[in-house]
Amino acid sequence: GEIAAVKDISAEWRAAGAATADGVLSGARILVADDIADARELVALTLERHGARVETCAAGAAALAALDGAALDERFDLFICDIGMPGEDGYAIIKK
């Protein structure tokens, strides 16, 4: 199924490790919000593979808290948000 395929890809990427990363995102801090754990992990692994430091959250409220709580020197460079999350959708979160 779909979840098994994502886990297989995740395992392959973990095994490949940093040696294959091109570092194009080296040092970038990225926040990823998605209520689907497998999708969230796949996006995070992809970004980390290219050198980013990634923080993830499963809900809009947690994303807003992470954005609001980030210290000045630890602000995120990029915020990636699923638009179809239950409760407060991605559009509402990004608007805030």
Side-chain angles (χ1 to χ4, degrees):
E2 182 179 326
I3 293 173
V6 170
K7 287 182 181 178
D8 288 344
I9 291 170
S10 297
E12 286 177 31
W13 285 0
R14 275 199 195 99
T20 61
D22 60 15
V24 71
L25 296 173
S26 184
R29 278 195 84 230
I30 302 174
L31 178 63
V32 176
D34 195 321
D35 61 311
I36 300 171
D38 288 334
R40 191 173 59 243
E41 181 178 345
L42 184 59
V43 171
L45 285 170
T46 302
L47 296 168
E48 288 169 349
R49 189 168 185 234
H50 292 283
R53 295 180 300 144
V54 181
E55 186 172 324
T56 63
C57 47
L64 289 172
L67 290 167
D68 287 342
L72 202 52
D73 60 341
E74 285 292 318
R75 296 251 167 122
F76 293 97
D77 299 300
L78 180 65
F79 175 45
I80 299 173
C81 184
D82 177 15
I83 58 169
M85 292 190 291
E88 198 166 33
D89 69 18
Y91 292 117
I93 295 162
I94 291 169
K95 188 176 180 178
K96 287 183 178 181

